Amino acid sequence: MASESVKVAFLFNHDQAHQIAHALPTAIALMELAPNLDIVIATTNDIITKEIRRLAEKLHKPDINIVELKTVSPMTRLAAYTFEKFLPVKKLGVYKDNLDFFRSLDILVVSEKTSLILKSRYHLDHLKIIHTRHGAGDRAVGFDKMSALFDHVLVSGSKIRDRLIKDAAVNPDKISIIGYPKFSLLPEKPRLLPMQANGRPTVLYNPHPAPHLSSWYEDGRKILDYFYKSDRYNLIFAPHVMLFHRPFVLTIDQLRLKKPGKIAQKYWDAPNIHIDLGSAASNDMTYTMAADIYLGDVSSQIYEFLYYPRPSLFMNSHNVEWQNDPNYLHWKTGDVLSDIDDLDQALAKSGQRHMDIYKPVQEALFNQSFDLSDEQSEKRAARAILKIVDEIKRG
């Protein structure tokens, strides 16, 4: 059993709470498997802290101890006041303003890549940084060269492992397949929305924020208008939580700056439309489980939706040549539309085409994306972390 001489922190450093479910179950499993291990849960804002407490209660660990890191330097506060509208300044400032905390750690477990700054800029070379990733999607940014800079990577399935080795040159010995801890938060029965009592099929529209990839900027309002006028379908509009978080969306992997704009009141008021721009339900698979049909672009939530195979549709708003592109592998699970005028027919045919063509494709891609076993995924992840703890103890 691991001793108190090794200190492990799970860091949750983001503006929104969507990454928490990918790592918190592992933190709690590690506490149970290694009760003598010094484990810290670190957060950086009240949104994150509140969601951790909510999910910890669902995972039967309501008394979890949390340390909230602050941005304290005047320089960070000034930069945040000036630029936070466009850039995650506070998120970056956390590292510099809390270096003593990070120096005290032996292992840091994170679901994002920003924390690599602790090695590249602040030279904490002793610190083992473990990446849990967040989601099982196909976007290129998930397989860039930064992935190889982690000391270890926990992945959901063979699809992720194989592509990390091929595209990011990650050492296979630094990868552990652990399944998908987020699935431990699934309810026994999908929670339906009040509007679904009307018996109509419910479509989940789930656009990504990235301007060069998202369907929102070109087609989003046309999609809302289609469902506003429809007497056949319900719509859950639950975009990626970062789409409307700031007045502008800035992407770094391909430099773009775009304004998502506002949503007209008539869509909020429509009895067959449910809009959620970032509540807890956007993060805990409430909507991917409640919907009958998925409509999206590049969000990794498609793979969570496929936990139960169902019809899927994708908007190709940028006229991408996607057929042989691994970044769009998920588009093989449903019809791909280049014209919003095709949406009505595609929805009408989606159920039959799902049964005739896409259901076996969905099942195959799901199994490649998620290696699930009888052992809970978070326990598999905790055991992988304990191996690194033992390596540190051996020196």
Side-chain angles (χ1 to χ4, degrees), residues 227-386:
F227 287 100
Y228 177 76
K229 296 173 181 175
S230 174
D231 60 1
R232 286 183 289 164
Y233 301 102
N234 297 319
L235 176 70
I236 299 171
F237 178 46
H240 190 289
V241 294
M242 295 306 293
L243 178 57
F244 290 92
H245 180 72
R246 291 186 175 89
F248 293 88
V249 176
L250 175 69
T251 53
I252 304 299
D253 55 324
Q254 288 192 30
L255 195 59
R256 298 284 193 282
L257 182 68
K258 202 116 180 181
K259 188 174 183 177
K262 296 189 180 299
I263 300 167
Q265 188 62 42
K266 67 178 183 178
Y267 301 126
W268 290 94
D269 295 340
N272 68 320
I273 297 178
H274 176 82
I275 299 174
D276 189 336
L277 304 185
S279 80
S282 292
N283 301 321
D284 66 6
M285 298 174 289
T286 291
Y287 300 135
T288 53
M289 294 300 106
D292 302 296
I293 302 169
Y294 181 93
L295 174 62
D297 37 60
V298 300
S299 174
S300 63
Q301 286 189 45
I302 176 58
Y303 285 108
E304 295 172 2
F305 177 83
L306 296 183
Y307 189 86
Y308 299 113
R310 285 158 288 169
S312 303
L313 299 170
F314 304 96
M315 289 304 307
N316 185 2
S317 301
H318 301 275
N319 296 313
V320 176
E321 294 292 332
W322 62 272
Q323 287 82 354
N324 298 309
D325 188 337
N327 301 313
Y328 294 89
L329 182 63
H330 53 289
W331 283 12
K332 294 182 181 295
T333 65
D335 283 342
V336 178
L337 315 180
S338 296
D339 191 330
I340 190 67
D341 291 338
D342 296 333
L343 179 59
D344 188 62
Q345 283 280 17
L347 285 169
K349 296 177 180 178
S350 63
Q352 191 61 52
R353 288 181 64 76
H354 171 73
M355 295 307 298
D356 292 345
I357 302 170
Y358 295 117
K359 188 172 185 284
V361 178
Q362 291 182 354
E363 290 170 341
L365 278 179
F366 182 90
N367 290 331
Q368 291 171 27
S369 301
F370 304 108
D371 183 318
L372 305 179
S373 70
D374 291 338
E375 184 178 26
Q376 288 181 313
S377 298
E378 57 266 37
K379 289 185 178 178
R380 295 164 68 187
R383 293 187 195 283
I385 294 170
L386 284 176

Side-chain angles (χ1 to χ4, degrees), residues 102-330:
F102 292 111
R103 286 194 188 100
S104 75
L105 305 175
D106 298 290
I107 296 174
L108 181 66
V109 185
V110 296
S111 54
E112 37 65 39
K113 296 177 181 174
T114 315
S115 295
L116 289 170
I117 196 174
L118 292 168
K119 290 181 180 284
S120 63
R121 181 175 297 181
Y122 300 116
H123 309 295
L124 301 191
D125 297 328
H126 78 284
L127 183 61
K128 303 291 187 185
I129 304 183
I130 299 174
H131 193 207
T132 69
R133 301 174 60 88
H134 57 278
D138 302 315
R139 289 180 59 213
V141 70
F143 305 94
D144 63 9
K145 300 302 181 185
M146 289 182 69
S147 296
L149 301 178
F150 287 98
D151 295 282
H152 206 81
V153 185
L154 307 178
V155 305
S156 59
S158 60
K159 179 191 77 174
I160 309 295
R161 178 201 59 199
D162 294 348
R163 195 167 168 197
L164 282 173
I165 294 168
K166 179 177 180 288
D167 292 358
V170 178
N171 184 333
D173 294 338
K174 292 186 175 183
I175 301 174
S176 294
I177 295 179
I178 54 90
Y180 205 61
K182 187 176 180 180
F183 283 149
S184 291
L185 293 165
L186 280 172
E188 288 186 15
K189 282 184 65 176
R191 193 166 78 244
L192 299 182
L193 280 64
M195 70 177 182
Q196 292 181 281
N198 63 20
R200 299 179 186 178
T202 298
V203 179
L204 168 61
Y205 177 41
N206 174 228
H208 197 269
H212 62 293
L213 298 169
S214 177
S215 60
W216 169 251
Y217 306 94
E218 298 294 328
D219 295 311
R221 286 177 179 80
K222 299 172 191 172
I223 290 170
L224 290 184
D225 209 52
Y226 170 84
F227 287 100
Y228 177 76
K229 296 173 181 175
S230 174
D231 60 1
R232 286 183 289 164
Y233 301 102
N234 297 319
L235 176 70
I236 299 171
F237 178 46
H240 190 289
V241 294
M242 295 306 293
L243 178 57
F244 290 92
H245 180 72
R246 291 186 175 89
F248 293 88
V249 176
L250 175 69
T251 53
I252 304 299
D253 55 324
Q254 288 192 30
L255 195 59
R256 298 284 193 282
L257 182 68
K258 202 116 180 181
K259 188 174 183 177
K262 296 189 180 299
I263 300 167
Q265 188 62 42
K266 67 178 183 178
Y267 301 126
W268 290 94
D269 295 340
N272 68 320
I273 297 178
H274 176 82
I275 299 174
D276 189 336
L277 304 185
S279 80
S282 292
N283 301 321
D284 66 6
M285 298 174 289
T286 291
Y287 300 135
T288 53
M289 294 300 106
D292 302 296
I293 302 169
Y294 181 93
L295 174 62
D297 37 60
V298 300
S299 174
S300 63
Q301 286 189 45
I302 176 58
Y303 285 108
E304 295 172 2
F305 177 83
L306 296 183
Y307 189 86
Y308 299 113
R310 285 158 288 169
S312 303
L313 299 170
F314 304 96
M315 289 304 307
N316 185 2
S317 301
H318 301 275
N319 296 313
V320 176
E321 294 292 332
W322 62 272
Q323 287 82 354
N324 298 309
D325 188 337
N327 301 313
Y328 294 89
L329 182 63
H330 53 289

Side-chain angles (χ1 to χ4, degrees), residues 68-83:
E68 190 163 308
L69 306 179
K70 302 292 185 181
T71 50
V72 295
S73 74
M75 185 67 72
T76 301
R77 290 181 177 179
L78 176 62
Y81 178 80
T82 307
F83 299 111

